[in-house]
Amino acid sequence: MSMFQKTKTARYSSCRSCAVTSRTPYSTVPSEKTFDKILIANRGEIACRVIKTCKKMGIQTVAVHSDVDSNAVHVKMADEAVCVGPAPTSKSYLNMDAIMDAIRLTGAQAVHPGYGFLSENKDFAKRLAAVGVTFIGPDTHAIQAMGDKIESKLIAKAAKVNTIPGFDGVVKTAEDAVKIAQQIGYPVMIKASAGGGGKGMRIAWNDEETREGFRFSSQEAASSFGDDRLLIEKYIDNPRHIEIQVLADKHGNVLWLNERECSIQRRNQKVVEEAPSMFLDADTRRVMGEQAVQLAKAVKYSSAGTVEFLVDSKKNFYFLEMNTRLQVEHPVTECITGLDLVEQMIRIAKGYQLQQKQEDIPINGWAIESRVYAEDPFKSFGLPSIGRLSQYQEPLKLSHVRVDSGIEEGSDINIYYDPMISKLVTYGATRAEALARMEDALDNYVIRGVTHNIPLLREIITHPRFVSGDISTNFLPEVYPEGFKGHHLDEDRCRELLASAAALHVTSQLYSHKILGTQRVSSAPMDQNNWELCVELGQELHDIEISKSGNSYIVKVDGGQVEVCGDWNLASPLLPLTINGTCRMLQCLSKESSGNIVLQYMGTLFKVRVLSKLTAKLNSYMPEKVSEDTSSILRSPMPGTVVAMSVKPGDTVADGQEICVIEAMKMQNSLTAVKQAKVKSVHCQPGETVGEGDLLVELE
Amino acid sequence: LAVLHVHQSFACLLQTNIQSDCRWYSVSHLSVKERIEKKRKAAQMGGGQKRIDAQHQRGKLTARERVELLLDPESFVETDMFVEHRCSDFGMEQDANKFPGDSVVTGRGRINGRLVYVFSQDFTVFGGSLSGAHAQKICKIMDQALTVGAPVIGLNDSGGARIQEGVESLAGYADIFLVHPSDLPHHGSLCILTHLMLCLQDTSYLFITGPDVVKSVTNEDVTQEELGGAKTHTAVSGVAHRAFENDVEALLYLRDFFNFLPLSNQDPAPIRECQDPSDRLVKSLDTVVPFESTKAYDMLDIIHAIVDEGDFFEIMPTYAKNIVVGFARMNGRTVGIVGNQPKVASGCLDINSSVKGARFVRFCDAFNIPIITFVDVPGFLPGTAQEYGGIIRHGAKLLFAFAEATVPKITIITRKAYGGAYDVMSSKHLRGDMNYAWPTAEVAVMGAKGAVQIIFRGKENQAEAEAEYVEKFANPFPAAVRGFVDDIIEPATTRKRICRDLEVLASKKQVNPWKKHANIPL
């Protein structure tokens, strides 16, 4: 009992983003009585999202949290909060006993599980039913039927839903996996039967990869779901991931709320989603919607659910799985349909009928969602990073922007939970409008203290292939075969960046002269108006002439001329500039006395060094810092736990051979050798926690 | 001895300054003029092109290049360009061994428009060695700096005393390093030479005796770098205050750093125009102190979030890291910041951190810089090493420094303020002007667990007693009800409060009782 700590908090300010502020007002029926108090068995943005709707509906809310989340936003937002255990999810957010105690303690009448955690756990739903508490989601039968990949496919087949050719069965050993894979024919996909999303999912192109995939997937399945059963099926090359949102009540009414396209994925996890899809025509949409409804009816589904399909280039679609919960990317559907899915889930759970008919469901405009993650997109399109959000500003001053987040300035992103910072949603009458707003929103988003994936998001949403709708789930590896390298500056953009950096440097130099008050020895006036500078970008030096008049600078650089105007507020993280008449939002991340400036431009961080011409000349005498040879040392690319060490000192490793496996945020990452060499020393052991940059293994 | 190693050459601007003054010419005018030109040219070249190239090859700048980089363009006014050494032994009297200006460049100039005197030792002339003439040149600008109340920056790059001159050069050392620094503060001048020492990684060495002598006397094998390299002095000995990668970086940082300081101890601390709103709420501070009081956090997170533009110039960042000291601005006003660092050794006070803090507090007090103290201190570090090392004596230095300081003193207790260490950290009892506590503050004699173990030694129900102790003392109320803190504030409002208080305290006047000098427990 002592671990429970009940806190009443009502400090949450209502100025944050919320679903309620989106364009179409949600229909709330004031006379409907639902629940007095709901417990939200989740954390982060989805907990906040649910609480917002509860507040709107006049429902009291209870947050549960782990000890490290005591100060989290969802805890502050809720009317009551109960600590359900220490940081590891298995001891807190997955700790059913503690959550059941919290329900009893607070008298909550219903539980919204959000996504992940206990959202698709039939045991949890059963335990709730046993004590007469409503589970806001489908009943246990549907969860069970759809939660199992094998059973769900059989049901789908029976309901006349298109399914993927493949092997439906339990796989016991690596050799069984190979045999099955060979029968189906490569490529095949291996994943955990019980798992949702991309977690535990591997693609194998040969026997060796099948064995490896089997090992990884079963390990991950065991650690994430406590159920190591696997599924192997035909992998459809070049597919698009398009899913249908369904909404069903307890009276047999089922609606399909159009599709979401979630083809932009990395390691089978979604990055950018949109609704509707550019790819679907009205007929395909209707057929997919109707099949989704058939499936929902087949399992007597109620609540919100999602039927995922893979769609090939000929618009053939195959059932992938059904998620019996609220999806991460539900906001784009809300934007185009005007429905509040959480509200509908609560109504349905209380037993109300759907108020809409299928013909009432519109597609109003276009919505795009970018998942903003605390991760380094330069490493495998995103390896988790951790840290404290020392500065954090959501771009909510812009119109048609919705940000669903569960963190705030000062929050910690730690290794225990999903590294998602927020879901950034923009919408507009057309896709182009929504995309333009997304570009603006990403440029105006201030995140400091953790590495984030905004550089990648901005590149994706401005890439010609994405803009034209030519995408598939292989988009990222196809567009960036060498890995993501950040924005490539063309000549004009490069000049703009150099000019902006030079102007910022001069502004800051002038600022240094602004000592106020009466100094006994008066300052000499700074009447200089022209400067000769040298700016270093990458390995190249650029000579720059810059002159100032008022707030604008004329910059001569690389044979061109650039005019840069701005307010030049050096205390603000955002640097709105007008460059040659075009408005650009830059961000200044750091500015050091040494002339080093880090600017975010076109979403990507660029490090420049601005020196006076004289300083640059003298700087050429300075010895260059010798950088460490990184081919013979293996450092941890992220903070996490070492789960396997495949080598010992004296072993010889081949180029590409696995050296060790690091688990972070429930993802297992295999680290491999980049050259053939002998292992000199091993600096960590399985089970050990390592930080980013920690030395793991040295090669000779 | 070396202080700030910095270097430099192509300052040709001065040649034109003097030519117009030649009205006294006679028949010999041309030849004298030529001689002047020749000497000036020679002075510009120091030890000659070959030695300049060698200096560059070592990754170092020449004395003149360093001066040019340090000062505003065209602001350098040189003195004693014609001074030559007077040694006549060992062939030093030959013309080839005479260099106009000798082995140091001296003069004055401006940094961001503000007056500064500067000397820069020239390694290309006899390895920058200190001759009688060299010392005289330095003393001359120091005297002048003293009369006008301006700081002196020394850029040292010297092999040591000029052996050929014998005792005369040693007398020069005495002049520079002993006589002047000790009386400078009293006469109103700031000398970075003695107040702050910056050095360079890989190229700065500083020791009483070099590795060879060490080997012959104590039979100890040690490299130059280990004995007196930048790392040694910034992390182990605490002799140097900050290290930089190279000459250029050091000089650029020095220019920015100079802007924090008043020109002399007679001047108020400078105020720079400020674009960062003084009433900015810092929301991230509301969650910076972790829930569990045993968990660490980074005091720098607080400092960076509170100060103007996040600009904090840390002094001694790699030495005694359990205390953080440095300069910043609040609404444009220069302030000195002292903070316990919970991330390192729980932020406890030990010998090194006490001395580091005390030295910094006295620096601020000497130069009219208000002191802001962030307190999260669990106490003094226990143990024989500390006691035998004299922690009582050294800890008293910090207490003494805070107590005697008459500049505005603002203190924020962020979490733990335990026992004697609480008193020491600019508490109300040491004449703190404004003392605040965050809601997470625990002002007590010691942690609850330790306290209960003593009070209830050998008794049962310690857990219960501990809970009671926490309830009673592990919060800001005991201090607040006694007036030992002036208010309990929301962390987000800290910046706003400090800025407002500094405005009020700008006119603070407090005089310590007269004494010849204070007797700090050295």
Side-chain angles (χ1 to χ4, degrees):
Chain A
M1 221 29 206
S2 63
M3 73 185 293
F4 292 107
Q5 171 224 359
K6 196 170 165 186
T7 42
K8 286 251 182 199
T9 43
R11 273 190 292 163
Y12 190 78
S13 69
S14 59
C15 65
R16 295 179 66 85
S17 65
C18 67
V20 189
T21 60
S22 98
R23 185 184 37 172
T24 319
Y26 297 123
S27 53
T28 310
V29 184
S31 59
E32 272 183 6
K33 172 88 182 64
T34 54
F35 302 99
D36 297 322
K37 193 186 270 186
I38 290 178
L39 180 139
I40 296 97
N42 214 306
R43 64 179 300 281
E45 68 89 13
I46 194 61
C48 298
R49 161 75 191 86
V50 173
I51 293 171
K52 275 168 201 158
T53 290
C54 289
K55 281 182 187 287
K56 186 182 74 176
M57 297 172 74
I59 300 167
Q60 295 275 303
T61 51
V62 181
V64 293
H65 62 90
S66 66
D67 55 6
V68 294
D69 270 349
S70 312
N71 266 328
V73 177
H74 76 279
V75 174
K76 292 183 194 171
M77 274 178 82
D79 298 307
E80 290 172 68
V82 181
C83 180
V84 289
T89 53
S90 59
K91 293 184 176 144
S92 50
Y93 296 103
L94 291 172
N95 182 349
M96 277 191 241
D97 290 340
I99 291 172
M100 293 307 294
D101 281 344
I103 293 165
R104 208 180 50 240
L105 196 73
T106 56
Q109 298 158 338
V111 171
H112 197 298
Y115 53 73
F117 296 134
L118 298 170
S119 62
E120 291 169 287
N121 188 313
K122 59 179 191 296
D123 297 334
F124 182 58
K126 273 182 196 156
R127 285 184 68 170
L128 290 178
V131 294
V133 172
T134 310
F135 177 79
I136 301 174
D139 64 23
T140 47
H141 164 72
I143 297 177
Q144 182 162 4
M146 293 294 107
D148 189 300
K149 301 281 181 296
I150 299 158
E151 202 189 333
S152 71
K153 277 181 127 183
L154 295 173
I155 296 171
K157 248 183 200 163
K160 298 203 168 62
V161 177
N162 306 351
T163 54
I164 302 176
F167 179 87
D168 294 355
V170 175
V171 187
K172 285 202 174 108
T173 69
E175 289 319 304
D176 283 353
V178 168
K179 237 180 266 167
I180 294 163
Q182 284 169 348
Q183 279 168 15
I184 297 170
Y186 288 108
V188 297
M189 184 163 65
I190 305 169
K191 63 180 178 181
S193 293
K199 282 179 178 161
M201 187 147 89
R202 306 269 159 178
I203 293 153
W205 296 78
N206 54 44
D207 293 355
E208 191 45 45
E209 287 178 6
T210 305
R211 284 189 199 101
E212 200 179 315
F214 172 80
R215 191 161 49 82
F216 265 114
S217 299
S218 50
Q219 267 175 20
E220 252 177 35
S223 70
S224 295
F225 312 106
D227 175 352
D228 57 1
R229 287 179 308 148
L230 295 180
L231 169 74
I232 302 178
E233 61 187 19
K234 176 84 179 172
Y235 171 65
I236 295 172
D237 215 1
N238 228 30
R240 299 174 79 115
H241 177 120
I242 298 176
E243 59 192 27
I244 301 287
Q245 174 73 51
V246 295
L247 198 57
D249 64 19
K250 293 183 173 174
H251 308 276
N253 303 310
V254 186
L255 298 173
W256 50 276
L257 307 183
N258 300 312
E259 77 282 8
R260 294 185 286 260
E261 168 141 24
C262 318
S263 295
I264 307 296
Q265 306 184 348
R266 51 118 177 79
R267 297 196 302 272
N268 291 310
Q269 279 186 284
K270 298 160 188 170
V271 184
V272 175
E273 298 109 335
E274 62 185 306
S277 163
M278 276 189 96
F279 194 57
L280 295 193
D281 51 63
D283 283 344
T284 316
R285 176 174 298 126
R286 185 179 43 74
V287 178
M288 285 173 78
E290 283 167 3
Q291 287 199 4
V293 168
Q294 285 161 28
L295 179 61
K297 283 185 171 163
V299 291
K300 298 199 169 56
Y301 198 85
S302 71
S303 193
T306 298
V307 182
E308 296 189 342
F309 293 98
L310 281 185
V311 184
D312 71 14
S313 54
K314 313 233 160 26
K315 291 186 186 159
N316 296 313
F317 57 91
Y318 304 100
F319 170 71
L320 202 56
E321 63 182 18
M322 179 166 188
N323 296 318
T324 56
R325 53 169 158 84
L326 191 64
Q327 295 274 97
V328 177
E329 60 273 22
H330 74 274
V332 289
T333 298
E334 295 187 328
C335 285
I336 61 160
T337 60
L339 287 170
D340 179 337
L341 291 179
V342 174
E343 184 189 344
Q344 295 302 325
M345 288 174 82
I346 294 171
R347 286 186 66 249
I348 291 165
K350 185 66 187 177
Y352 289 109
Q353 288 207 26
L354 288 171
Q355 296 157 312
Q356 295 80 11
K357 298 264 173 290
Q358 187 60 48
E359 56 270 25
D360 298 337
I361 305 301
I363 298 183
N364 285 330
W366 214 285
I368 316 261
E369 175 181 282
S370 294
R371 294 197 195 181
V372 182
Y373 278 103
E375 57 183 26
D376 183 350
F378 293 81
K379 297 175 185 165
S380 314
F381 300 115
L383 287 189
S385 75
I386 55 168
R388 184 171 175 272
L389 289 167
S390 53
Q391 250 186 324
Y392 182 74
Q393 267 176 40
E394 291 172 353
L396 293 170
K397 281 185 184 152
L398 306 176
S399 66
H400 298 86
V401 171
R402 163 176 170 178
V403 184
D404 281 20
S405 67
I407 45 97
E408 61 188 346
E409 193 166 290
S411 293
D412 254 323
I413 309 274
N414 56 43
I415 58 165
Y416 300 110
Y417 311 116
D418 192 77
M420 190 157 79
I421 295 173
S422 78
K423 300 182 307 201
L424 176 61
V425 182
T426 59
Y427 42 94
T430 62
R431 189 170 185 262
E433 204 172 271
L435 280 177
R437 283 175 177 149
M438 181 60 80
E439 206 177 313
D440 265 0
L442 289 169
D443 283 343
N444 279 276
Y445 208 141
V446 178
I447 303 170
R448 302 282 190 274
V450 296
T451 313
H452 55 78
N453 67 338
I454 283 181
L456 176 64
L457 294 172
R458 198 184 186 285
E459 284 302 291
I460 292 170
I461 59 121
T462 54
H463 194 279
R465 268 190 63 183
F466 182 83
V467 172
S468 69
D470 173 21
I471 53 177
S472 77
T473 55
N474 300 322
F475 178 83
L476 288 176
E478 276 172 23
V479 172
Y480 308 104
E482 307 287 308
F484 180 63
K485 305 267 191 253
H487 182 78
H488 175 76
L489 292 171
D490 63 24
E491 210 173 281
D492 284 346
R493 296 294 96 75
C494 182
R495 273 197 208 118
E496 289 181 13
L497 174 66
L498 294 170
S500 306
L504 184 66
H505 176 81
V506 170
T507 307
S508 138
Q509 293 290 304
L510 291 173
Y511 190 44
S512 294
H513 279 247
K514 294 187 175 167
I515 305 281
L516 306 175
T518 48
Q519 281 289 309
R520 187 173 40 75
V521 180
S522 67
S523 296
M526 180 85 168
D527 48 11
Q528 199 176 350
N529 276 321
N530 298 288
W531 295 265
E532 286 191 346
L533 303 175
C534 187
V535 183
E536 190 180 328
L537 173 64
Q539 297 299 313
E540 281 175 41
L541 293 173
H542 304 262
D543 285 333
I544 284 179
E545 281 175 49
I546 177 166
S547 59
K548 180 180 198 290
S549 75
N551 273 342
S552 83
Y553 291 93
I554 303 289
V555 189
K556 286 187 185 139
V557 47
D558 292 348
Q561 182 167 306
V562 181
E563 188 185 0
V564 188
C565 303
D567 290 339
W568 304 111
N569 183 341
L570 298 174
S572 162
L574 291 170
L575 196 62
L577 298 179
T578 308
I579 305 176
N580 284 341
T582 309
C583 290
R584 302 260 187 219
M585 181 59 79
L586 280 75
Q587 295 191 23
C588 179
L589 278 88
S590 72
K591 187 165 52 59
E592 293 169 5
S593 307
S594 56
N596 286 323
I597 300 178
V598 178
L599 286 175
Q600 180 180 314
Y601 181 57
M602 297 287 162
T604 294
L605 299 185
F606 292 96
K607 204 180 152 192
V608 296
R609 187 167 191 196
V610 188
L611 297 173
S612 72
K613 218 165 177 185
L614 168 80
T615 313
K617 193 186 104 191
L618 297 180
N619 195 47
S620 67
Y621 298 127
M622 296 298 106
E624 261 183 57
K625 253 230 169 324
V626 198
S627 54
E628 198 176 34
D629 174 21
T630 51
S631 68
S632 57
I633 49 174
L634 183 72
R635 292 183 183 280
S636 177
M638 74 214 128
T641 313
V642 180
V643 292
M645 173 58 67
S646 319
V647 298
K648 54 183 188 304
D651 289 0
T652 302
V653 290
D655 184 2
Q657 187 181 331
E658 178 186 297
I659 291 182
C660 66
V661 180
I662 304 273
E663 187 181 274
M665 285 137 179
K666 295 197 285 173
M667 276 297 300
Q668 296 211 340
N669 299 277
S670 167
L671 306 181
T672 54
V674 292
K675 65 173 187 186
Q676 185 179 336
K678 208 167 181 186
V679 177
K680 193 170 155 198
S681 55
V682 172
H683 297 267
C684 63
Q685 286 173 345
E688 213 173 284
T689 309
V690 291
E692 182 177 345
D694 281 5
L695 181 63
L696 303 175
V697 170
E698 266 182 287
L699 305 177
E700 275 178 1
Chain B
L1 291 192
V3 179
L4 170 67
H5 274 251
V6 177
H7 338 256
Q8 150 91 323
S9 108
F10 309 85
C12 314
L13 328 152
L14 300 167
Q15 291 184 330
T16 51
N17 287 352
I18 321 217
Q19 286 165 356
S20 55
D21 283 334
C22 306
R23 251 186 266 141
W24 38 265
Y25 65 86
S26 59
V27 190
S28 64
H29 145 243
L30 276 179
S31 77
V32 169
K33 201 178 168 191
E34 267 166 22
R35 281 168 62 198
I36 293 170
E37 286 286 309
K38 210 177 145 197
K39 289 267 183 199
R40 283 195 190 284
K41 225 169 192 168
Q44 298 289 349
M45 294 304 290
Q49 191 59 47
K50 243 170 125 178
R51 292 216 171 86
I52 291 174
D53 292 345
Q55 184 81 346
H56 287 161
Q57 238 140 49
R58 279 193 289 265
K60 290 158 65 171
L61 299 180
T62 67
R64 285 178 187 281
E65 286 167 341
R66 287 168 177 163
V67 170
E68 206 180 347
L69 209 51
L70 175 66
L71 301 179
D72 292 347
E74 302 176 34
S75 74
F76 183 49
V77 179
E78 186 169 349
T79 49
D80 288 342
M81 205 183 212
F82 296 100
V83 165
E84 290 172 4
H85 75 77
R86 303 175 293 270
C87 182
S88 54
D89 299 320
F90 308 110
M92 290 291 281
E93 70 280 8
Q94 290 166 16
D95 269 1
N97 278 335
K98 297 233 171 178
F99 296 89
D102 204 24
S103 51
V104 67
V105 177
T106 58
R108 62 161 207 262
R110 287 174 186 275
I111 294 178
N112 290 318
R114 303 168 73 224
L115 180 64
V116 63
Y117 283 80
V118 61
F119 69 86
S120 177
Q121 293 178 319
D122 189 348
F123 196 78
T124 65
V125 178
F126 299 117
S129 63
L130 191 128
S131 64
H134 178 133
Q136 205 178 13
K137 279 181 75 171
I138 294 176
C139 291
K140 189 195 262 183
I141 59 149
M142 283 186 166
D143 286 340
Q144 220 178 78
L146 203 62
T147 57
V148 302
V152 177
I153 294 178
L155 308 173
N156 289 32
D157 190 1
S158 166
R162 192 167 299 167
I163 301 166
Q164 294 91 334
E165 284 198 7
V167 74
E168 187 177 345
S169 75
L170 291 181
Y173 270 121
D175 278 347
I176 297 167
F177 292 104
L178 302 177
V179 182
H180 285 273
S182 60
D183 66 5
L184 280 177
H186 288 280
H187 287 91
S189 189
L190 156 66
C191 178
I192 289 187
L193 175 80
T194 48
H195 289 291
L196 274 164
M197 190 165 97
L198 314 176
C199 62
L200 301 178
Q201 287 157 13
D202 306 327
T203 50
S204 287
Y205 304 102
L206 189 64
F207 24 66
I208 302 283
T209 47
D212 296 343
V213 180
V214 169
K215 173 79 182 166
S216 68
V217 176
T218 67
N219 204 26
E220 202 181 347
D221 276 314
V222 67
T223 64
Q224 199 163 243
E225 181 66 36
E226 282 166 358
L227 184 63
K231 210 167 171 192
T232 302
H233 287 313
T234 54
V236 182
S237 73
V239 168
H241 293 94
R242 210 163 146 170
F244 294 97
E245 209 168 284
N246 58 44
D247 282 12
V248 170
E249 203 189 282
L251 289 168
L252 291 175
Y253 269 95
L254 185 51
R255 278 180 63 84
D256 275 1
F257 172 58
F258 187 76
N259 248 11
F260 284 107
L261 306 176
L263 292 183
S264 80
N265 67 2
Q266 306 290 303
D267 290 307
I271 305 174
R272 199 181 74 174
E273 193 182 293
C274 178
Q275 291 179 313
D276 203 349
S278 64
D279 58 354
R280 171 167 59 89
L281 291 181
V282 191
K283 262 176 60 190
S284 69
L285 297 185
D286 286 337
T287 52
V288 70
V289 176
F291 202 67
E292 308 96 318
S293 75
T294 49
K295 222 177 139 193
Y297 61 93
D298 192 347
M299 188 56 85
L300 286 169
D301 283 345
I302 295 179
I303 296 170
H304 283 135
I306 282 185
V307 301
D308 288 0
E309 291 151 38
D311 186 8
F312 177 58
F313 190 95
E314 194 176 350
I315 304 292
M316 302 179 95
T318 52
Y319 178 79
K321 291 194 267 187
N322 40 346
I323 201 164
V324 174
V325 301
F327 297 99
R329 294 185 185 85
M330 294 297 285
N331 200 17
R333 292 169 198 277
T334 295
V335 292
I337 291 181
V338 181
N340 306 112
Q341 174 57 285
K343 238 177 71 174
V344 181
S346 304
C348 72
L349 287 177
D350 56 7
I351 292 172
N352 289 348
S353 60
S354 299
V355 174
K356 173 181 168 183
R359 171 94 173 129
F360 181 76
V361 167
R362 298 193 99 207
F363 183 107
C364 292
D365 191 43
F367 293 103
N368 314 315
I369 298 170
I371 301 164
I372 297 167
T373 310
F374 292 97
V375 184
D376 187 348
V377 65
F380 281 98
L381 182 66
T384 51
Q386 290 290 312
E387 294 294 358
Y388 295 175
I391 180 66
I392 296 176
R393 183 161 55 88
H394 295 294
K397 289 177 183 171
L398 185 55
L399 181 107
F400 194 105
F402 270 123
E404 93 182 317
T406 55
V407 291
K409 289 183 283 192
I410 300 171
T411 306
I412 294 97
I413 301 172
T414 60
R415 190 167 62 179
K416 290 172 207 159
Y418 289 169
Y422 148 68
D423 279 326
V424 168
M425 292 302 293
S426 198
S427 63
K428 202 75 187 167
H429 321 293
L430 302 182
R431 306 192 294 180
D433 293 300
M434 293 308 288
N435 292 59
Y436 295 117
W438 283 2
T440 43
E442 306 168 15
V443 187
V445 176
M446 53 170 46
K449 199 165 188 177
V452 167
Q453 275 169 3
I454 294 169
I455 303 172
F456 301 96
R457 182 168 295 160
K459 296 197 179 126
E460 284 168 24
N461 291 342
Q462 295 226 340
E464 208 172 284
E466 196 180 318
E468 192 189 339
Y469 194 92
V470 168
E471 178 71 26
K472 271 209 172 117
F473 297 115
N475 58 59
F477 297 116
V481 294
R482 288 165 178 81
F484 297 160
V485 295
D486 298 301
D487 201 355
I488 303 170
I489 61 171
E490 281 302 314
T493 64
T494 308
R495 172 177 164 82
K496 192 170 134 182
R497 297 257 186 173
I498 294 174
C499 289
R500 218 163 50 189
D501 291 341
L502 284 173
E503 274 167 27
V504 173
L505 291 169
S507 57
K508 176 184 176 184
K509 283 200 176 61
Q510 189 170 38
V511 182
N512 288 335
W514 185 90
K515 49 183 119 34
K516 189 174 170 194
H517 60 70
N519 192 13
I520 191 165
L522 291 174

